[in-house]
Amino acid sequence: MFSRIHLDGFSLVMHSMDYCKLEKEEALDLLRGKKVAVIGFKKSAIDLALESALANRGEGGQACTMVVRTTHWVIPHYWVWGLPFFLFYSTIAAQFLHDKPNRSFLRTLFCLLFSLLRAMVSKFIESYVTWKLPLEKYGLKPDHPFEEDYASCQMAIIPENFFEEADKGMIRFKKTPKWCFCDEGIEFEDGTTLEADVVILATGYDGDKKLKAIIPEPFRSWLEFPWGLMPLYRGTIHPLIPNMGFVGYVQSNSNVRASELRSMWLNRLMDEKFKLPSKEKMLYQFYKEMKVMKKSSRFYKNHCISTFSIQHADDLCNDMGLNPRRKSNLFLDVFCPYGSQDYRFDQEETK
């Protein structure tokens, strides 16, 4: 947390991670009666803007301004035109339509033939979101397809009363590609300024920077070698860094479930229940995954496997000698989503 002096007082600038460390009353005191600017438009930024609006209800309340560089798709809940959201992306049948690593020629051809169907699914969801939420009214409708945000784990759930506060004028939006601090608060690329008593940076954090701070050389230089992304085999093992596993770095549509499964995989690897392939094969496997991520979204560097998360889980199960098919019958296996309860392994299942 840090502060900055300007002409008529002081403006407090802090990261959303520092804000989360505050007690409830401290957070309310920080926001109440203040002109708050929130930088960003993802889950943390959205929640912070709503908290500021609620804290400033009543006499003397000030509006919160969200400074948005890139808009991303948000959804009101996990239902789309009366259909559960998981039908579109979280079942084997749905993910069969999407590109994934290690596809056979026939599956690749099938995926190409049904690319139009994938686009239609994305448009179908977009039509519901733009009908349900006033994204166009506030200039928040993204220019890219919904599928790109889902494939890169950029999608967020919008709180129910978020746009109610925007309609009251308690949450405002300023879209700009560039901004900087100035004496009044924030200056935008078009020359306009925004007065701000508190500026909260909800722009994410650089996980790679944190890792580089704890990993010694020469391994630090190899973290993102050779493609600018951490080449984690099975989302866990860096082929060029020995005796170290990374759990929770690669994102998915269910981070907790994926991390639990990778932890089990890593535990069995340490117990020598199976062996890793060569470094060359592990790097090549990641290269194929990276090609899929890059093809699925312009935000591929977010390192997300949402569109092939079930195959990823299948690969982990196969490595551990466990049956990747977790449902009681074929219909459920193909058309129902996989959850944490499906991966509760009994001792008898191990080989």
Side-chain angles (χ1 to χ4, degrees):
M1 188 188 303
F2 59 95
S3 61
R4 175 179 59 84
I5 302 297
H6 64 64
L7 289 180
D8 57 352
F10 80 97
S11 177
L12 180 67
V13 184
M14 64 192 309
H15 195 276
S16 57
M17 292 182 66
D18 296 314
Y19 176 85
C20 291
K21 298 173 185 177
L22 299 177
E23 298 292 336
K24 184 176 181 180
E25 286 304 317
E26 289 180 310
L28 286 174
D29 290 340
L30 176 70
L31 302 175
R32 190 180 291 120
K34 306 291 196 327
K35 297 175 182 177
V36 179
V38 176
I39 313 298
F41 191 68
K42 293 185 185 178
K43 182 60 178 172
S44 295
I46 291 169
D47 289 343
L48 282 167
L50 181 58
E51 283 190 35
S52 177
L54 296 178
N56 279 280
R57 281 180 171 176
E59 187 177 354
Q62 298 286 343
C64 172
T65 302
M66 297 190 74
V67 180
V68 183
R69 186 177 66 175
T70 304
T71 53
H72 291 284
W73 286 98
V74 293
I75 59 175
H77 42 66
Y78 284 111
W79 290 87
V80 178
W81 296 119
L83 298 173
F85 184 82
F86 70 76
L87 286 178
F88 303 106
Y89 291 107
S90 303
T91 67
I92 289 178
Q95 293 195 6
F96 190 78
L97 301 177
H98 293 266
D99 197 12
K100 61 182 68 174
N102 303 319
R103 273 189 182 272
S104 65
F105 173 77
L106 288 177
R107 288 194 174 187
T108 301
L109 181 61
F110 181 87
C111 185
L112 289 172
L113 292 174
F114 281 84
S115 58
L116 179 60
L117 180 58
R118 293 200 310 274
M120 290 174 62
V121 167
S122 185
K123 287 293 184 183
F124 182 74
I125 296 173
E126 291 170 29
S127 69
Y128 177 76
V129 173
T130 52
W131 172 77
K132 189 71 174 178
L133 301 176
L135 299 182
E136 292 180 306
K137 173 182 177 181
Y138 291 107
L140 299 174
K141 182 182 177 182
D143 297 326
H144 54 271
F146 174 86
E147 182 179 324
E148 286 198 42
D149 275 345
Y150 183 82
S152 56
C153 297
Q154 303 274 29
M155 181 195 76
I157 298 287
I158 201 85
E160 185 177 355
N161 54 342
F162 179 81
F163 282 111
E164 290 179 13
E165 296 300 322
D167 291 339
K168 296 175 186 176
M170 295 306 295
I171 299 177
R172 300 170 182 171
F173 307 95
K174 175 64 178 181
K175 288 186 65 178
T176 180
K178 295 179 181 179
W179 62 273
C180 64
F181 290 115
C182 67
D183 291 333
E184 290 78 16
I186 297 176
E187 182 177 347
F188 303 112
E189 189 179 41
D190 58 7
T192 60
T193 59
L194 173 70
E195 290 187 22
D197 301 313
V198 179
V199 179
I200 304 179
L201 307 174
T203 53
Y205 62 94
D206 192 345
D208 294 338
K209 185 176 181 180
K210 293 179 180 293
L211 289 173
K212 289 175 181 178
I214 62 175
I215 296 177
E217 291 289 3
F219 307 114
R220 184 185 305 147
S221 303
W222 298 345
L223 269 179
E224 299 174 331
F225 178 83
W227 299 295
L229 288 174
M230 278 186 67
L232 296 181
Y233 178 73
R234 299 296 191 246
T236 308
I237 295 296
H238 195 304
L240 304 179
I241 302 179
N243 304 319
M244 185 173 290
F246 301 84
V247 176
Y249 181 86
V250 177
Q251 299 186 64
S252 179
N253 55 345
S254 177
N255 287 325
V256 173
R257 185 187 72 227
S259 294
E260 287 177 342
L261 196 54
R262 291 180 195 129
S263 296
M264 288 186 275
W265 181 89
L266 185 59
N267 183 59
R268 284 166 170 78
L269 174 63
M270 294 172 64
D271 288 341
E272 299 183 345
K273 297 292 181 64
F274 60 92
K275 293 184 178 181
L276 295 173
S278 66
K279 293 178 182 179
E280 291 77 13
K281 289 183 177 179
M282 288 192 285
L283 286 170
Y284 183 56
Q285 172 62 27
F286 175 78
Y287 172 72
K288 289 186 288 185
E289 293 177 3
M290 186 189 66
K291 284 181 64 179
V292 171
M293 291 186 286
K294 194 171 184 178
K295 185 178 179 181
S296 301
S297 175
R298 70 195 70 185
F299 310 110
Y300 72 96
K301 288 195 174 182
N302 210 40
H303 212 151
C304 175
I305 61 167
S306 285
T307 56
F308 58 95
S309 59
I310 296 177
Q311 178 180 306
H312 177 77
D314 290 351
D315 291 338
L316 294 171
C317 289
N318 287 325
D319 288 346
M320 293 186 284
L322 304 173
N323 184 3
R325 303 277 71 84
R326 312 303 304 166
K327 304 291 187 181
S328 58
N329 61 63
L330 182 61
F331 180 84
L332 294 176
D333 197 55
V334 173
F335 296 104
C336 288
Y338 271 71
S340 298
Q341 294 298 318
D342 294 310
Y343 294 99
R344 294 182 63 182
F345 301 117
D346 297 326
Q347 200 68 27
E348 292 79 15
E349 290 180 288
T350 59
K351 291 184 177 181

